[in-house]
Amino acid sequence: MPDDLITPRRNQFMNNEKAVAIGSRFWEETAAHGLAGIVASLGKDGYFTTDNGHRFVNLSCCSYLDLDSHPHIIQGAIRALEKYGVLDHCISRVRVQMPALLELEDSLSSLFRAKVVTAISASAASAGILPLIASGHLANGEKPVVVFDKNAHFSMNLYKAVCADETEVLTAPHNDMNFLEDVCKKHKNVAYICDGTYSMGGHAPAEELLALQEKYGLFLYFDDSHSLSIVGDKGEGYIRSSIPEVNDRTIIVATLNKAFGAAGAAIMFGPKRVDQALTLERFGGPLAWSQPMNTAAIGGALAAAEIHNSPELKERQEKLQRNIKLFDARIDTEQTGLRFPIRVVRASHENVINVGLDLYREGFYVSPVFFPIVARDKAGLRVMLRAGMPESEVQRLCDTILRNKLF
């Protein structure tokens, strides 16, 4: 049979039929109990209030340092809009780009000690970068075997099939360095795709990965969105603060939407890799289209970078760590002891929504998580601690969790 008549195998990397069929029941039940689609406004005191007057602490928010409502960042966005008089140029940066965008990238490059290119989001960055890694254009000119960590975020896993159109794609058991080294022994060029800090807890083994890179020339791609700002003297994140430099076989992506307090994403290259940055700008899908960071996002991010260069960053980092330790002292989770602010309190699939509803009634919005967000046996409540949360509220949260006898 001619090759062009061979039907490709389906669902090799995704199975939406299965995920939607199983996940829909839980989403529908979550919505029916009022735990999804909530409409609420954020007050100056840090609490949300719904139209019917229900007041709650949002513990499903990724603004771990509470910088998203910082007056300096808000004013930075306003100043940029007033200065440039336009929200969005709606043109590819390959054609025309704002001076403020280059100013921001210079500021972030200095902050993170890397060559930084911005994107509208970390997801857009992955969409542009991963296929170019697979084709070899960002991986020193040769197509690598691309290995995704099993727990890599959905925003990266989504592009497995696209990468597989360019090269061989494998899935490694989570943080399994023996598996990865075996692949490196068998293939001349290998690229590893993973989170630097995982959204359900834990980190990539940075030292072991650097050792494999040194031994085999392994190409490393990290999405470290969940640790940016909360780790590092300048908020450079777990991976960047764990490695001496961003070399020409490493790319780090991190969103500026979470703890950084602004919007957009930073892509960190080795300082000398201007060629990688140009290739990405010209051929990186969303990064080459007419959707760069808008003016308000650029102004806000510039202001956020100023805060990251000030003593205030450390003060907020320390407040966050105090709240994490306070929670860990009373509630035991698989993440206990980590600097990472997300804790997953285990609950059964049958009970997780009811417990989430009880917490919401007590003034805490905590996301119930279930398959396909997590494995079927890993359902629980995803608690996302923040620096600005009063210690009294952390204690009250723990009281409510303990009352439900989840462990």
Side-chain angles (χ1 to χ4, degrees):
M1 180 182 294
D3 289 344
D4 60 350
L5 295 181
I6 297 175
T7 302
R9 183 159 65 91
R10 302 299 182 190
N11 300 128
Q12 185 175 355
F13 301 109
M14 290 185 65
N15 190 335
N16 278 333
E17 183 177 2
K18 178 180 179 182
V20 172
I22 297 173
S24 287
R25 178 171 67 87
F26 291 100
W27 277 118
E28 288 167 5
E29 189 176 347
T30 301
H33 283 79
L35 293 177
I38 296 169
V39 178
S41 300
L42 177 64
K44 292 183 179 179
D45 59 359
Y47 291 83
F48 279 79
T49 304
T50 65
D51 289 343
N52 63 7
H54 183 62
R55 191 166 175 266
F56 63 93
V57 179
N58 185 2
L59 288 162
S60 291
C61 175
C62 294
S63 183
Y64 307 121
L65 299 181
D66 288 297
L67 287 174
D68 58 336
S69 57
H70 196 292
H72 186 64
I73 294 176
I74 301 299
Q75 287 303 312
I78 293 171
R79 284 194 301 271
L81 287 170
E82 291 176 340
K83 179 177 180 179
Y84 292 100
V86 63
L87 177 61
D88 197 330
H89 276 303
C90 299
I91 187 171
S92 169
R93 64 177 297 166
V94 177
R95 308 290 184 182
V96 179
Q97 51 193 326
M98 293 178 62
L101 186 62
L102 298 180
E103 181 186 350
L104 173 61
E105 290 177 348
D106 285 343
S107 177
L108 296 177
S109 294
S110 175
L111 198 66
F112 302 143
R113 294 170 289 119
K115 167 65 177 175
V116 170
V117 173
T118 56
I120 195 171
S121 69
S123 299
S126 288
I129 295 169
L130 294 180
L132 289 171
I133 290 176
S135 66
H137 290 90
L138 294 182
N140 295 342
E142 296 184 52
K143 290 187 177 185
V145 172
V146 178
V147 181
F148 284 77
D149 186 277
K150 185 178 186 296
N151 288 6
H153 193 270
F154 182 75
S155 61
M156 293 181 281
N157 276 328
L158 187 62
Y159 296 98
K160 280 184 177 179
V162 179
C163 292
D165 201 40
E166 296 280 355
T167 189
E168 182 179 0
V169 171
L170 303 174
T171 301
H174 181 48
N175 281 348
D176 190 333
M177 296 298 99
N178 291 327
F179 178 98
L180 185 57
E181 183 164 21
D182 285 343
V183 177
C184 289
K185 288 177 179 177
K186 295 174 184 176
H187 301 277
K188 180 181 177 182
N189 292 306
V190 178
Y192 183 58
I193 314 300
C194 65
D195 294 44
T197 302
Y198 286 86
S199 61
M200 293 298 170
H203 305 287
E207 289 186 11
E208 294 176 66
L209 287 167
L210 287 178
L212 291 177
Q213 186 179 69
E214 178 69 22
K215 188 173 182 179
Y216 299 102
L218 176 66
F219 192 96
L220 296 171
Y221 179 86
F222 299 100
D223 184 319
D224 207 22
S225 294
H226 279 286
S227 78
L228 196 75
S229 302
I230 67 172
V231 177
D233 292 339
K234 299 291 186 181
E236 59 267 36
Y238 172 75
I239 291 297
R240 183 65 194 92
S241 61
S242 298
I243 63 177
E245 64 176 352
V246 181
N247 58 38
D248 64 357
R249 298 194 70 80
T250 302
I251 296 175
I252 304 170
V253 167
T255 183
L256 303 177
N257 293 64
K258 299 185 188 300
F260 193 81
I267 305 165
M268 304 179 207
F269 295 101
K272 298 180 181 179
R273 291 315 302 261
V274 177
D275 58 328
Q276 286 181 322
L278 286 174
T279 297
L280 186 60
E281 288 178 15
R282 293 169 178 172
F283 302 100
L287 281 84
W289 302 336
S290 55
Q291 51 177 328
M293 290 175 63
N294 67 44
T295 309
I298 293 169
L302 279 166
E306 292 174 354
I307 294 173
H308 280 64
N309 269 313
S310 77
E312 184 177 352
L313 177 71
K314 185 176 181 181
E315 293 170 6
R316 287 178 179 255
Q317 288 176 332
E318 289 174 348
K319 285 181 181 178
L320 175 63
Q321 293 306 312
R322 285 198 295 271
N323 281 345
I324 290 171
K325 289 178 181 178
L326 183 60
F327 184 88
D328 283 352
R330 300 193 61 195
I331 307 295
D332 186 34
T333 67
E334 291 181 5
Q335 297 81 34
T336 295
L338 298 176
R339 292 180 293 173
F340 181 57
I342 293 181
R343 299 292 185 266
V344 180
V345 182
R346 297 287 295 277
S348 68
H349 264 101
E350 294 74 21
N351 196 36
V352 66
I353 293 175
N354 288 330
V355 178
L357 183 59
D358 183 58
L359 283 165
Y360 183 59
R361 288 168 176 159
E362 291 294 325
F364 302 105
Y365 180 65
V366 178
S367 296
V369 290
F370 36 75
F371 184 86
I373 301 170
V374 293
R376 287 200 233 190
D377 62 343
K378 298 286 187 180
L381 300 170
R382 190 181 187 217
V383 179
M384 304 167 75
L385 297 161
R386 302 198 322 276
M389 192 174 175
E391 291 186 3
S392 60
E393 289 289 64
V394 178
Q395 294 283 18
R396 196 166 69 85
L397 170 66
C398 294
D399 290 341
T400 308
I401 291 173
L402 289 168
R403 188 182 67 220
N404 278 277
K405 299 179 181 179
L406 294 182
F407 58 93

